[in-house]
PDB file of all heavy atoms in Angstrom:
ATOM      1  N   LEU A 490      10.542  30.641 -27.432  1.00 87.00           N
ATOM      2  CA  LEU A 490       9.935  29.821 -28.529  1.00 87.00           C
ATOM      3  C   LEU A 490       8.908  30.676 -29.279  1.00 87.00           C
ATOM      4  O   LEU A 490       8.365  31.619 -28.774  1.00 87.00           O
ATOM      5  CB  LEU A 490       9.136  28.645 -27.884  1.00 87.00           C
ATOM      6  CG  LEU A 490      10.053  27.613 -27.072  1.00 87.00           C
ATOM      7  CD1 LEU A 490       9.139  26.483 -26.746  1.00 87.00           C
ATOM      8  CD2 LEU A 490      11.249  27.222 -27.881  1.00 87.00           C
ATOM      9  N   ASP A 491       8.726  30.275 -30.538  1.00 87.00           N
ATOM     10  CA  ASP A 491       7.735  30.959 -31.379  1.00 87.00           C
ATOM     11  C   ASP A 491       6.274  30.418 -30.923  1.00 87.00           C
ATOM     12  O   ASP A 491       6.255  29.393 -30.230  1.00 87.00           O
ATOM     13  CB  ASP A 491       7.925  30.733 -32.828  1.00 87.00           C
ATOM     14  CG  ASP A 491       8.024  29.274 -33.255  1.00 87.00           C
ATOM     15  OD1 ASP A 491       7.624  28.421 -32.410  1.00 87.00           O
ATOM     16  OD2 ASP A 491       8.508  28.991 -34.350  1.00 87.00           O
ATOM     17  N   ALA A 492       5.230  31.065 -31.363  1.00 88.00           N
ATOM     18  CA  ALA A 492       3.887  30.738 -30.865  1.00 88.00           C
ATOM     19  C   ALA A 492       3.506  29.232 -31.061  1.00 88.00           C
ATOM     20  O   ALA A 492       3.088  28.590 -30.127  1.00 88.00           O
ATOM     21  CB  ALA A 492       2.865  31.684 -31.481  1.00 88.00           C
ATOM     22  N   PRO A 493       3.747  28.671 -32.308  1.00 87.00           N
ATOM     23  CA  PRO A 493       3.323  27.292 -32.462  1.00 87.00           C
ATOM     24  C   PRO A 493       4.108  26.350 -31.500  1.00 87.00           C
ATOM     25  O   PRO A 493       3.500  25.399 -30.957  1.00 87.00           O
ATOM     26  CB  PRO A 493       3.691  26.974 -33.928  1.00 87.00           C
ATOM     27  CG  PRO A 493       3.846  28.294 -34.588  1.00 87.00           C
ATOM     28  CD  PRO A 493       4.211  29.253 -33.579  1.00 87.00           C
ATOM     29  N   SER A 494       5.353  26.632 -31.315  1.00 87.00           N
ATOM     30  CA  SER A 494       6.130  25.740 -30.433  1.00 87.00           C
ATOM     31  C   SER A 494       5.634  25.866 -28.989  1.00 87.00           C
ATOM     32  O   SER A 494       5.598  24.872 -28.248  1.00 87.00           O
ATOM     33  CB  SER A 494       7.648  26.120 -30.494  1.00 87.00           C
ATOM     34  OG  SER A 494       8.112  25.950 -31.795  1.00 87.00           O
ATOM     35  N   LYS A 495       5.303  27.110 -28.606  1.00 89.00           N
ATOM     36  CA  LYS A 495       4.733  27.210 -27.240  1.00 89.00           C
ATOM     37  C   LYS A 495       3.488  26.419 -27.054  1.00 89.00           C
ATOM     38  O   LYS A 495       3.346  25.693 -26.062  1.00 89.00           O
ATOM     39  CB  LYS A 495       4.434  28.713 -26.976  1.00 89.00           C
ATOM     40  CG  LYS A 495       5.613  29.546 -26.582  1.00 89.00           C
ATOM     41  CD  LYS A 495       5.204  30.952 -26.218  1.00 89.00           C
ATOM     42  CE  LYS A 495       6.404  31.783 -25.878  1.00 89.00           C
ATOM     43  NZ  LYS A 495       6.102  33.119 -25.462  1.00 89.00           N
ATOM     44  N   LEU A 496       2.625  26.509 -28.081  1.00 90.00           N
ATOM     45  CA  LEU A 496       1.328  25.740 -28.005  1.00 90.00           C
ATOM     46  C   LEU A 496       1.632  24.268 -27.973  1.00 90.00           C
ATOM     47  O   LEU A 496       1.019  23.568 -27.166  1.00 90.00           O
ATOM     48  CB  LEU A 496       0.486  26.063 -29.229  1.00 90.00           C
ATOM     49  CG  LEU A 496      -0.054  27.490 -29.263  1.00 90.00           C
ATOM     50  CD1 LEU A 496      -0.856  27.715 -30.535  1.00 90.00           C
ATOM     51  CD2 LEU A 496      -0.882  27.803 -28.029  1.00 90.00           C
ATOM     52  N   ALA A 497       2.607  23.809 -28.718  1.00 88.00           N
ATOM     53  CA  ALA A 497       2.933  22.342 -28.725  1.00 88.00           C
ATOM     54  C   ALA A 497       3.443  21.880 -27.361  1.00 88.00           C
ATOM     55  O   ALA A 497       3.024  20.858 -26.855  1.00 88.00           O
ATOM     56  CB  ALA A 497       4.002  22.047 -29.823  1.00 88.00           C
ATOM     57  N   VAL A 498       4.313  22.699 -26.770  1.00 89.00           N
ATOM     58  CA  VAL A 498       4.870  22.283 -25.474  1.00 89.00           C
ATOM     59  C   VAL A 498       3.723  22.246 -24.415  1.00 89.00           C
ATOM     60  O   VAL A 498       3.607  21.335 -23.654  1.00 89.00           O
ATOM     61  CB  VAL A 498       5.976  23.341 -25.016  1.00 89.00           C
ATOM     62  CG1 VAL A 498       6.285  23.108 -23.548  1.00 89.00           C
ATOM     63  CG2 VAL A 498       7.169  23.155 -25.892  1.00 89.00           C
ATOM     64  N   ARG A 499       2.874  23.272 -24.446  1.00 91.00           N
ATOM     65  CA  ARG A 499       1.769  23.302 -23.472  1.00 91.00           C
ATOM     66  C   ARG A 499       0.859  22.104 -23.630  1.00 91.00           C
ATOM     67  O   ARG A 499       0.499  21.433 -22.645  1.00 91.00           O
ATOM     68  CB  ARG A 499       0.963  24.571 -23.621  1.00 91.00           C
ATOM     69  CG  ARG A 499       1.693  25.830 -23.144  1.00 91.00           C
ATOM     70  CD  ARG A 499       0.909  27.037 -23.414  1.00 91.00           C
ATOM     71  NE  ARG A 499       1.715  28.239 -23.259  1.00 91.00           N
ATOM     72  CZ  ARG A 499       1.636  29.303 -24.013  1.00 91.00           C
ATOM     73  NH1 ARG A 499       0.684  29.364 -24.970  1.00 91.00           N
ATOM     74  NH2 ARG A 499       2.417  30.299 -23.858  1.00 91.00           N
ATOM     75  N   ALA A 500       0.551  21.804 -24.879  1.00 90.00           N
ATOM     76  CA  ALA A 500      -0.397  20.707 -25.158  1.00 90.00           C
ATOM     77  C   ALA A 500       0.228  19.412 -24.636  1.00 90.00           C
ATOM     78  O   ALA A 500      -0.443  18.561 -23.996  1.00 90.00           O
ATOM     79  CB  ALA A 500      -0.746  20.616 -26.620  1.00 90.00           C
ATOM     80  N   PHE A 501       1.518  19.272 -24.897  1.00 91.00           N
ATOM     81  CA  PHE A 501       2.152  18.045 -24.499  1.00 91.00           C
ATOM     82  C   PHE A 501       2.142  17.829 -22.987  1.00 91.00           C
ATOM     83  O   PHE A 501       1.853  16.764 -22.447  1.00 91.00           O
ATOM     84  CB  PHE A 501       3.585  18.018 -25.008  1.00 91.00           C
ATOM     85  CG  PHE A 501       4.349  16.851 -24.479  1.00 91.00           C
ATOM     86  CD1 PHE A 501       4.220  15.562 -25.048  1.00 91.00           C
ATOM     87  CD2 PHE A 501       5.225  16.953 -23.380  1.00 91.00           C
ATOM     88  CE1 PHE A 501       4.876  14.488 -24.536  1.00 91.00           C
ATOM     89  CE2 PHE A 501       5.887  15.859 -22.853  1.00 91.00           C
ATOM     90  CZ  PHE A 501       5.700  14.648 -23.452  1.00 91.00           C
ATOM     91  N   VAL A 502       2.507  18.894 -22.281  1.00 91.00           N
ATOM     92  CA  VAL A 502       2.536  18.790 -20.851  1.00 91.00           C
ATOM     93  C   VAL A 502       1.145  18.442 -20.257  1.00 91.00           C
ATOM     94  O   VAL A 502       1.051  17.673 -19.339  1.00 91.00           O
ATOM     95  CB  VAL A 502       3.110  20.103 -20.216  1.00 91.00           C
ATOM     96  CG1 VAL A 502       3.018  20.048 -18.646  1.00 91.00           C
ATOM     97  CG2 VAL A 502       4.545  20.324 -20.635  1.00 91.00           C
ATOM     98  N   ARG A 503       0.112  19.027 -20.815  1.00 90.00           N
ATOM     99  CA  ARG A 503      -1.212  18.778 -20.345  1.00 90.00           C
ATOM    100  C   ARG A 503      -1.530  17.289 -20.512  1.00 90.00           C
ATOM    101  O   ARG A 503      -2.058  16.660 -19.644  1.00 90.00           O
ATOM    102  CB  ARG A 503      -2.267  19.646 -21.126  1.00 90.00           C
ATOM    103  CG  ARG A 503      -3.029  20.542 -20.247  1.00 90.00           C
ATOM    104  CD  ARG A 503      -4.097  21.309 -20.964  1.00 90.00           C
ATOM    105  NE  ARG A 503      -4.031  21.271 -22.398  1.00 90.00           N
ATOM    106  CZ  ARG A 503      -3.815  22.378 -23.203  1.00 90.00           C
ATOM    107  NH1 ARG A 503      -3.564  23.456 -22.643  1.00 90.00           N
ATOM    108  NH2 ARG A 503      -3.771  22.216 -24.466  1.00 90.00           N
ATOM    109  N   ASP A 504      -1.260  16.762 -21.712  1.00 90.00           N
ATOM    110  CA  ASP A 504      -1.496  15.387 -21.997  1.00 90.00           C
ATOM    111  C   ASP A 504      -0.743  14.466 -21.124  1.00 90.00           C
ATOM    112  O   ASP A 504      -1.165  13.385 -20.639  1.00 90.00           O
ATOM    113  CB  ASP A 504      -1.222  15.034 -23.497  1.00 90.00           C
ATOM    114  CG  ASP A 504      -2.160  15.766 -24.416  1.00 90.00           C
ATOM    115  OD1 ASP A 504      -3.204  16.303 -23.891  1.00 90.00           O
ATOM    116  OD2 ASP A 504      -1.870  15.764 -25.641  1.00 90.00           O
ATOM    117  N   LEU A 505       0.538  14.802 -20.895  1.00 90.00           N
ATOM    118  CA  LEU A 505       1.396  14.029 -20.059  1.00 90.00           C
ATOM    119  C   LEU A 505       0.791  13.793 -18.663  1.00 90.00           C
ATOM    120  O   LEU A 505       0.728  12.724 -18.125  1.00 90.00           O
ATOM    121  CB  LEU A 505       2.726  14.675 -19.906  1.00 90.00           C
ATOM    122  CG  LEU A 505       3.735  14.015 -19.021  1.00 90.00           C
ATOM    123  CD1 LEU A 505       4.380  12.779 -19.741  1.00 90.00           C
ATOM    124  CD2 LEU A 505       4.841  14.951 -18.550  1.00 90.00           C
ATOM    125  N   ARG A 506       0.307  14.926 -18.084  1.00 89.00           N
ATOM    126  CA  ARG A 506      -0.311  14.829 -16.788  1.00 89.00           C
ATOM    127  C   ARG A 506      -1.518  13.862 -16.827  1.00 89.00           C
ATOM    128  O   ARG A 506      -1.702  13.064 -15.986  1.00 89.00           O
ATOM    129  CB  ARG A 506      -0.763  16.268 -16.386  1.00 89.00           C
ATOM    130  CG  ARG A 506      -0.849  16.503 -14.878  1.00 89.00           C
ATOM    131  CD  ARG A 506      -1.846  15.631 -14.153  1.00 89.00           C
ATOM    132  NE  ARG A 506      -3.228  15.938 -14.650  1.00 89.00           N
ATOM    133  CZ  ARG A 506      -3.970  16.819 -14.148  1.00 89.00           C
ATOM    134  NH1 ARG A 506      -3.608  17.597 -13.214  1.00 89.00           N
ATOM    135  NH2 ARG A 506      -5.198  16.994 -14.701  1.00 89.00           N
ATOM    136  N   ARG A 507      -2.270  14.080 -17.911  1.00 90.00           N
ATOM    137  CA  ARG A 507      -3.587  13.315 -17.996  1.00 90.00           C
ATOM    138  C   ARG A 507      -3.257  11.805 -18.189  1.00 90.00           C
ATOM    139  O   ARG A 507      -3.780  10.915 -17.549  1.00 90.00           O
ATOM    140  CB  ARG A 507      -4.443  13.837 -19.118  1.00 90.00           C
ATOM    141  CG  ARG A 507      -5.866  13.451 -18.949  1.00 90.00           C
ATOM    142  CD  ARG A 507      -6.770  13.965 -20.070  1.00 90.00           C
ATOM    143  NE  ARG A 507      -6.268  13.660 -21.349  1.00 90.00           N
ATOM    144  CZ  ARG A 507      -6.027  14.532 -22.370  1.00 90.00           C
ATOM    145  NH1 ARG A 507      -6.264  15.789 -22.147  1.00 90.00           N
ATOM    146  NH2 ARG A 507      -5.527  14.109 -23.518  1.00 90.00           N
ATOM    147  N   GLU A 508      -2.338  11.470 -19.110  1.00 89.00           N
ATOM    148  CA  GLU A 508      -2.133  10.097 -19.435  1.00 89.00           C
ATOM    149  C   GLU A 508      -1.149   9.340 -18.552  1.00 89.00           C
ATOM    150  O   GLU A 508      -1.309   8.174 -18.308  1.00 89.00           O
ATOM    151  CB  GLU A 508      -1.622  10.005 -20.903  1.00 89.00           C
ATOM    152  CG  GLU A 508      -2.706  10.347 -21.884  1.00 89.00           C
ATOM    153  CD  GLU A 508      -2.209  10.809 -23.285  1.00 89.00           C
ATOM    154  OE1 GLU A 508      -1.038  10.509 -23.554  1.00 89.00           O
ATOM    155  OE2 GLU A 508      -3.027  11.414 -24.010  1.00 89.00           O
TER     156      GLU A 508
END
Side-chain angles (χ1 to χ4, degrees):
Chain A
L490 298 190
D491 56 13
S494 301
K495 280 187 183 183
L496 292 178
V498 167
R499 289 176 194 143
F501 173 79
V502 173
R503 240 185 350 245
D504 293 347
L505 177 79
R506 207 297 298 272
R507 201 180 54 232
E508 286 158 21

